[in-house]
Amino acid sequence: MIAVVTGASQGIGQAIAEAVAERDGARVALVARTRTKLEQTADACRARGGTPLVLPTDVTDDAAVSEMAAAVHDEWGPPDVLVNNAGAFTYAPLDALTLEGFRDQIDVNLTSAFTVTKAFLPALRERGEGHLFFMGSVASVMAYPGNAGYCAAKHGLRGLARTVRQETKAEGLRVTTVLPGATDTPTWEGTDIPKDRLMAPEDIAQSVVDAYHLSDRTVLEELLLRPQAGDV
């Protein structure tokens, strides 16, 4: 298996990269901005039987995304799995949210997924198979105060994924939107929320791997995960 995982330097992205390395011995292209963190994920993937390719990339930079996709194709060819996981969260009530801040949330959480998808989609369509994952959020289906930029981006990401699904299902591609609630990632560092109220990123990663391993006759279109005790 060849997998491309954006936002692979920490949190859910790191957990997904490690999970596909362990279960499938995958070749995993690790995409994020910080090389040092990616190298740590790469070491973890090797320890689990995978073969990592470290590709430091700012997914909001169109040219950098094109170079990253070309590097994957040159090294291995088109991926079997593309995980659009890169994202960021900034809390800001409407009266404190600037236009620049809003646009930044759209760029990193939504536009980047469009750019990365476009970079790989032609080869996937030509081959007639592949599984695209979009990392949404409960904020893709609900609104939260102080989250206008993030909610708008994640609602949009769900719409993008649904459209990709409709336009590619006849060509053999599968598309899954993952909608996790509060997960134990750096987003929650510095808060007073107990860790046992947050989901483990490894659980989200396991759901991605399981969705991929369904038969070709089935696609899990959307997957909503929440902490057992409910939203925090």
Side-chain angles (χ1 to χ4, degrees), residues 166-181:
Q166 291 302 314
E167 291 194 14
T168 63
K169 63 183 180 182
E171 301 170 46
L173 275 61
R174 296 192 291 174
V175 179
T176 299
T177 309
V178 186
L179 307 167

PDB file of all heavy atoms in Angstrom, residues 166-181:
ATOM      1  N   GLN A 166     -19.381  12.026  -5.326  1.00  0.00           N
ATOM      2  CA  GLN A 166     -20.351  11.931  -6.417  1.00  0.00           C
ATOM      3  C   GLN A 166     -19.674  11.940  -7.784  1.00  0.00           C
ATOM      4  O   GLN A 166     -20.122  11.265  -8.713  1.00  0.00           O
ATOM      5  CB  GLN A 166     -21.361  13.084  -6.312  1.00  0.00           C
ATOM      6  CG  GLN A 166     -22.292  12.985  -5.117  1.00  0.00           C
ATOM      7  CD  GLN A 166     -23.089  11.699  -5.107  1.00  0.00           C
ATOM      8  OE1 GLN A 166     -23.649  11.277  -6.119  1.00  0.00           O
ATOM      9  NE2 GLN A 166     -23.138  11.049  -3.944  1.00  0.00           N
ATOM     10  N   GLU A 167     -18.598  12.690  -7.912  1.00  0.00           N
ATOM     11  CA  GLU A 167     -17.950  12.822  -9.220  1.00  0.00           C
ATOM     12  C   GLU A 167     -16.996  11.681  -9.549  1.00  0.00           C
ATOM     13  O   GLU A 167     -16.583  11.543 -10.704  1.00  0.00           O
ATOM     14  CB  GLU A 167     -17.204  14.153  -9.306  1.00  0.00           C
ATOM     15  CG  GLU A 167     -18.130  15.363  -9.340  1.00  0.00           C
ATOM     16  CD  GLU A 167     -17.417  16.637  -9.760  1.00  0.00           C
ATOM     17  OE1 GLU A 167     -16.284  16.548 -10.283  1.00  0.00           O
ATOM     18  OE2 GLU A 167     -18.005  17.717  -9.578  1.00  0.00           O
ATOM     19  N   THR A 168     -16.634  10.863  -8.557  1.00  0.00           N
ATOM     20  CA  THR A 168     -15.623   9.830  -8.807  1.00  0.00           C
ATOM     21  C   THR A 168     -16.095   8.409  -8.541  1.00  0.00           C
ATOM     22  O   THR A 168     -15.361   7.461  -8.843  1.00  0.00           O
ATOM     23  CB  THR A 168     -14.363  10.084  -7.952  1.00  0.00           C
ATOM     24  OG1 THR A 168     -14.704   9.997  -6.556  1.00  0.00           O
ATOM     25  CG2 THR A 168     -13.769  11.453  -8.247  1.00  0.00           C
ATOM     26  N   LYS A 169     -17.289   8.235  -7.994  1.00  0.00           N
ATOM     27  CA  LYS A 169     -17.707   6.881  -7.607  1.00  0.00           C
ATOM     28  C   LYS A 169     -17.829   5.951  -8.803  1.00  0.00           C
ATOM     29  O   LYS A 169     -17.569   4.747  -8.676  1.00  0.00           O
ATOM     30  CB  LYS A 169     -19.023   6.942  -6.827  1.00  0.00           C
ATOM     31  CG  LYS A 169     -20.212   7.477  -7.589  1.00  0.00           C
ATOM     32  CD  LYS A 169     -21.438   7.548  -6.683  1.00  0.00           C
ATOM     33  CE  LYS A 169     -22.665   8.084  -7.418  1.00  0.00           C
ATOM     34  NZ  LYS A 169     -23.839   8.187  -6.519  1.00  0.00           N
ATOM     35  N   ALA A 170     -18.196   6.486  -9.966  1.00  0.00           N
ATOM     36  CA  ALA A 170     -18.314   5.640 -11.150  1.00  0.00           C
ATOM     37  C   ALA A 170     -16.955   5.266 -11.722  1.00  0.00           C
ATOM     38  O   ALA A 170     -16.870   4.402 -12.612  1.00  0.00           O
ATOM     39  CB  ALA A 170     -19.147   6.351 -12.215  1.00  0.00           C
ATOM     40  N   GLU A 171     -15.899   5.884 -11.214  1.00  0.00           N
ATOM     41  CA  GLU A 171     -14.546   5.638 -11.722  1.00  0.00           C
ATOM     42  C   GLU A 171     -13.750   4.721 -10.813  1.00  0.00           C
ATOM     43  O   GLU A 171     -12.550   4.520 -11.014  1.00  0.00           O
ATOM     44  CB  GLU A 171     -13.821   6.969 -11.908  1.00  0.00           C
ATOM     45  CG  GLU A 171     -14.534   7.906 -12.877  1.00  0.00           C
ATOM     46  CD  GLU A 171     -13.932   9.301 -12.864  1.00  0.00           C
ATOM     47  OE1 GLU A 171     -12.686   9.413 -12.915  1.00  0.00           O
ATOM     48  OE2 GLU A 171     -14.686  10.278 -12.797  1.00  0.00           O
ATOM     49  N   GLY A 172     -14.402   4.193  -9.776  1.00  0.00           N
ATOM     50  CA  GLY A 172     -13.740   3.221  -8.910  1.00  0.00           C
ATOM     51  C   GLY A 172     -13.094   3.800  -7.671  1.00  0.00           C
ATOM     52  O   GLY A 172     -12.496   3.056  -6.886  1.00  0.00           O
ATOM     53  N   LEU A 173     -13.208   5.109  -7.454  1.00  0.00           N
ATOM     54  CA  LEU A 173     -12.620   5.715  -6.267  1.00  0.00           C
ATOM     55  C   LEU A 173     -13.606   5.680  -5.105  1.00  0.00           C
ATOM     56  O   LEU A 173     -14.814   5.735  -5.295  1.00  0.00           O
ATOM     57  CB  LEU A 173     -12.201   7.159  -6.544  1.00  0.00           C
ATOM     58  CG  LEU A 173     -10.818   7.358  -7.174  1.00  0.00           C
ATOM     59  CD1 LEU A 173     -10.729   6.683  -8.541  1.00  0.00           C
ATOM     60  CD2 LEU A 173     -10.515   8.847  -7.325  1.00  0.00           C
ATOM     61  N   ARG A 174     -13.052   5.585  -3.905  1.00  0.00           N
ATOM     62  CA  ARG A 174     -13.870   5.643  -2.694  1.00  0.00           C
ATOM     63  C   ARG A 174     -13.508   6.904  -1.906  1.00  0.00           C
ATOM     64  O   ARG A 174     -12.350   7.334  -1.912  1.00  0.00           O
ATOM     65  CB  ARG A 174     -13.647   4.390  -1.835  1.00  0.00           C
ATOM     66  CG  ARG A 174     -14.105   3.111  -2.523  1.00  0.00           C
ATOM     67  CD  ARG A 174     -14.148   1.943  -1.564  1.00  0.00           C
ATOM     68  NE  ARG A 174     -12.815   1.532  -1.137  1.00  0.00           N
ATOM     69  CZ  ARG A 174     -12.592   0.606  -0.210  1.00  0.00           C
ATOM     70  NH1 ARG A 174     -13.601   0.016   0.414  1.00  0.00           N
ATOM     71  NH2 ARG A 174     -11.365   0.271   0.119  1.00  0.00           N
ATOM     72  N   VAL A 175     -14.496   7.467  -1.244  1.00  0.00           N
ATOM     73  CA  VAL A 175     -14.300   8.710  -0.496  1.00  0.00           C
ATOM     74  C   VAL A 175     -14.965   8.569   0.867  1.00  0.00           C
ATOM     75  O   VAL A 175     -16.137   8.186   0.956  1.00  0.00           O
ATOM     76  CB  VAL A 175     -14.888   9.925  -1.235  1.00  0.00           C
ATOM     77  CG1 VAL A 175     -14.696  11.203  -0.405  1.00  0.00           C
ATOM     78  CG2 VAL A 175     -14.259  10.089  -2.616  1.00  0.00           C
ATOM     79  N   THR A 176     -14.208   8.885   1.912  1.00  0.00           N
ATOM     80  CA  THR A 176     -14.722   8.813   3.278  1.00  0.00           C
ATOM     81  C   THR A 176     -14.439  10.123   4.001  1.00  0.00           C
ATOM     82  O   THR A 176     -13.305  10.621   3.963  1.00  0.00           O
ATOM     83  CB  THR A 176     -14.056   7.665   4.061  1.00  0.00           C
ATOM     84  OG1 THR A 176     -14.344   6.415   3.431  1.00  0.00           O
ATOM     85  CG2 THR A 176     -14.559   7.629   5.504  1.00  0.00           C
ATOM     86  N   THR A 177     -15.454  10.675   4.650  1.00  0.00           N
ATOM     87  CA  THR A 177     -15.269  11.827   5.522  1.00  0.00           C
ATOM     88  C   THR A 177     -15.315  11.350   6.963  1.00  0.00           C
ATOM     89  O   THR A 177     -16.282  10.714   7.387  1.00  0.00           O
ATOM     90  CB  THR A 177     -16.367  12.881   5.297  1.00  0.00           C
ATOM     91  OG1 THR A 177     -16.462  13.182   3.903  1.00  0.00           O
ATOM     92  CG2 THR A 177     -16.040  14.159   6.054  1.00  0.00           C
ATOM     93  N   VAL A 178     -14.255  11.641   7.709  1.00  0.00           N
ATOM     94  CA  VAL A 178     -14.171  11.262   9.108  1.00  0.00           C
ATOM     95  C   VAL A 178     -14.526  12.494   9.943  1.00  0.00           C
ATOM     96  O   VAL A 178     -14.002  13.585   9.712  1.00  0.00           O
ATOM     97  CB  VAL A 178     -12.762  10.757   9.467  1.00  0.00           C
ATOM     98  CG1 VAL A 178     -12.727  10.227  10.897  1.00  0.00           C
ATOM     99  CG2 VAL A 178     -12.321   9.673   8.478  1.00  0.00           C
ATOM    100  N   LEU A 179     -15.437  12.306  10.905  1.00  0.00           N
ATOM    101  CA  LEU A 179     -15.959  13.426  11.691  1.00  0.00           C
ATOM    102  C   LEU A 179     -15.720  13.173  13.175  1.00  0.00           C
ATOM    103  O   LEU A 179     -16.631  12.805  13.917  1.00  0.00           O
ATOM    104  CB  LEU A 179     -17.462  13.586  11.406  1.00  0.00           C
ATOM    105  CG  LEU A 179     -17.876  13.703   9.930  1.00  0.00           C
ATOM    106  CD1 LEU A 179     -19.373  13.542   9.779  1.00  0.00           C
ATOM    107  CD2 LEU A 179     -17.403  15.030   9.358  1.00  0.00           C
ATOM    108  N   PRO A 180     -14.493  13.380  13.642  1.00  0.00           N
ATOM    109  CA  PRO A 180     -14.206  13.110  15.051  1.00  0.00           C
ATOM    110  C   PRO A 180     -14.578  14.273  15.961  1.00  0.00           C
ATOM    111  O   PRO A 180     -14.487  15.443  15.585  1.00  0.00           O
ATOM    112  CB  PRO A 180     -12.693  12.886  15.052  1.00  0.00           C
ATOM    113  CG  PRO A 180     -12.194  13.683  13.895  1.00  0.00           C
ATOM    114  CD  PRO A 180     -13.293  13.711  12.880  1.00  0.00           C
ATOM    115  N   GLY A 181     -14.990  13.920  17.166  1.00  0.00           N
ATOM    116  CA  GLY A 181     -15.150  14.906  18.213  1.00  0.00           C
ATOM    117  C   GLY A 181     -13.821  15.168  18.894  1.00  0.00           C
ATOM    118  O   GLY A 181     -12.749  14.931  18.319  1.00  0.00           O
TER     119      GLY A 181
END
